[in-house]
Amino acid sequence: MCRHLKSGPSVTKRSVYGIFSSKVAIRFACEVWVLFLGWLPRRTNPAKHPSVSTERAGGHLHLHIEEKSSVRPVIIMAITLLRAASLPGLRDAAAGQHVCSYLPNNNRRRRWILCSLKYACLSVDPGPGEVSPVYSSLTVTPAGEAVISSEQKVYDVVLKQAALLKRHLRPQPHTIPAIPKELDLPTNGLNQAYHRCGEICEEYAKTFYLGTMLMTEERRRAIWAIYVWCRRTDELVDGPNASHITPSALDRWEKRLDDVFTGRPYDMLDAALSDTISKFPIDIQPFRDMIEGMRSDLRKTRYKNFDELYMYCYYVAGTVGLMSVPVMGIAPESKATTESVYSAALALGIANQLTNILRDVGEDARRGRIYLPQDELAEAGLCDEDIFNGVVTNKWRSFMKRQIKRARMFFEEAERGVTELSQASRWPVWASLLLYRQILDEIEANDYNNFTKRAYVGKAKKLLALPVAYGRSLLMPYSLRNSQK
């Protein structure tokens, strides 16, 4: 018999989400904001201060900020939220609902939106063809101290990857192009290495492999090499020898990764990746982060909230998107920012991993693992014992609907970015997106029974998805379609 805890903020870490759900806190935050904005015009040029509007919808407060100068609403928001968090009596606010909303912007000024009350996440209203990035994402401890959320930590990595790619694409007429280091391999050894990577990809990811056949040979082989490294890394903790894997084994694997990036491959599969790295602007950080995700699997079986789960999903799947963008390439006609394309690739990885988690709830539970936000389970009146018992109830259906809705939101975010990729690279990505999203449909078709039934997409549906994915790969980039309206 499990004891259901009363939903609410954690004792050790309370988010701004809880603060804002309190009527008193809302009033306080708005009053502070109004006072600040009332003082600002007297100290600065009135034409330059940000304008703020609020809207009540569905019992929630929506905040809208328009930036007219370099005065960053991020700072104003952070100050307001942190002051609110430090007030006695506000730390026990009950949890409310996640709000992510903004009004259409009809003028050309940049518009900041509060995209997450739970993590006080500020973002920019996306323009045509853009994916809105996270600019500020804060949680607050009981002491009123700001804590950077997983969203912001991951977005910092996204910015770094985008900057690396932009530097690579920037014309540099006064520099001599770097000559890739020749690997010490037998005659035709590199071709054999790539061929073996292709065989592994075809064996374990047939649909994706078929899609890669439309890519140029150099890009196709590079994607195979990345796929194989990711699969080998995943097999360390999920493969047949997983019970024998220790943290020190992962440390050795990471040291081996360093050798791959410095042109010292251990075997032929490593050699394919090492050659790929010499040809594309691929950074080592996402690879290291994936290994960190494997370390997490060795020591962690529960996730307190979605913030923790988001970081895990980034480690084990979002990283794949960041690795792949430099190889896939961005369409030369695309008007989207490099950062938005990386953000979409990240979103697809997060969506795929959330789908994996929802599909494998029963399988993971039999291994003693629960990859679901503990606080959201408690809000739904569920606990670990309900998962282990594996009985589908109305509470479980309600909980699953919320989780599926979130995964679909990440898929929707990813869709725009796929259209911005090089046309020859879009088909395998579209195929992956459409097929994985159909797994969510199958979970619903199974009446949310992911305890004893494994949701999968049948061969007929897979075959039907391929021409649909190919058709979508031929569409012009989303950023161009919007600019022509």
Side-chain angles (χ1 to χ4, degrees), residues 76-246:
I76 303 171
M77 171 66 95
I79 293 171
T80 303
L81 296 178
L82 292 176
R83 285 179 179 172
S86 64
L87 279 186
L90 294 185
R91 296 172 187 166
D92 296 322
Q97 295 295 318
H98 183 99
V99 177
C100 181
S101 177
Y102 60 89
L103 297 177
N105 185 17
N106 296 322
N107 57 38
R108 295 187 178 182
R109 288 178 298 192
R110 225 16 168 183
R111 185 179 176 91
W112 294 77
I113 58 174
L114 182 65
C115 66
S116 169
L117 281 181
K118 182 166 185 178
Y119 301 113
C121 150
L122 272 175
S123 179
V124 168
D125 186 355
E130 296 180 7
V131 176
S132 179
V134 176
Y135 280 87
S136 177
S137 192
L138 304 171
T139 54
V140 178
T141 65
E145 298 173 350
V147 179
I148 298 176
S149 80
S150 296
E151 290 175 286
Q152 182 60 50
K153 291 175 184 176
V154 172
Y155 190 66
D156 290 341
V157 179
V158 168
L159 292 178
K160 179 183 176 183
Q161 307 309 305
L164 180 66
L165 181 58
K166 285 192 286 188
R167 283 198 302 271
H168 177 78
L169 297 176
R170 188 181 302 137
Q172 298 179 352
H174 301 297
T175 60
I176 300 175
I179 301 175
K181 181 179 178 180
E182 291 292 331
L183 298 175
D184 184 15
L185 291 173
T187 304
N188 204 37
L190 202 53
N191 288 333
Q192 292 177 3
Y194 277 119
H195 180 71
R196 179 57 186 147
C197 288
E199 288 178 338
I200 295 172
C201 186
E202 182 180 16
E203 181 179 356
Y204 294 101
K206 291 181 176 61
T207 303
F208 182 78
Y209 172 82
L210 182 61
T212 63
M213 300 310 290
L214 283 182
M215 302 170 68
T216 64
E217 182 181 7
E218 186 178 51
R219 287 179 175 173
R220 176 170 65 243
R221 293 176 6 148
I223 288 296
W224 292 346
I226 292 173
Y227 171 85
V228 168
W229 185 88
C230 292
R231 180 163 188 87
R232 295 173 85 187
T233 303
D234 183 67
E235 286 288 310
L236 292 175
V237 296
D238 282 336
N241 298 318
S243 59
H244 304 293
I245 294 298
T246 62

Side-chain angles (χ1 to χ4, degrees), residues 272-288:
L273 180 60
S274 194
D275 183 64
T276 292
I277 291 163
S278 72
K279 295 177 179 177
F280 296 92
I282 298 173
D283 185 40
I284 196 173
Q285 187 62 50
F287 293 82
R288 286 177 172 160

Side-chain angles (χ1 to χ4, degrees), residues 6-10 14-26 59-60 89-98 117-118 375 379:
K6 182 179 179 181
S7 64
S10 166
R14 292 180 174 85
S15 67
V16 180
Y17 168 54
I19 296 167
F20 262 83
S21 61
S22 164
K23 293 181 180 179
V24 176
I26 292 173
H60 305 293
L90 294 185
R91 296 172 187 166
D92 296 322
Q97 295 295 318
H98 183 99
L117 281 181
K118 182 166 185 178
D375 60 344
E379 287 174 19

Side-chain angles (χ1 to χ4, degrees), residues 352-364 366 372 400 404 436 439-440 442-443 446 449-457:
N352 286 346
Q353 186 59 26
L354 289 176
T355 301
N356 280 337
I357 288 170
L358 298 180
R359 179 194 62 195
D360 299 337
V361 169
E363 180 181 329
D364 290 332
R366 287 186 286 275
L372 299 168
M400 282 300 301
I404 289 174
Y436 255 84
I439 293 175
L440 299 176
E442 297 300 323
I443 294 174
N446 289 340
N449 181 3
N450 42 8
F451 299 118
T452 58
K453 292 183 179 179
R454 182 179 174 87
Y456 67 94
V457 180

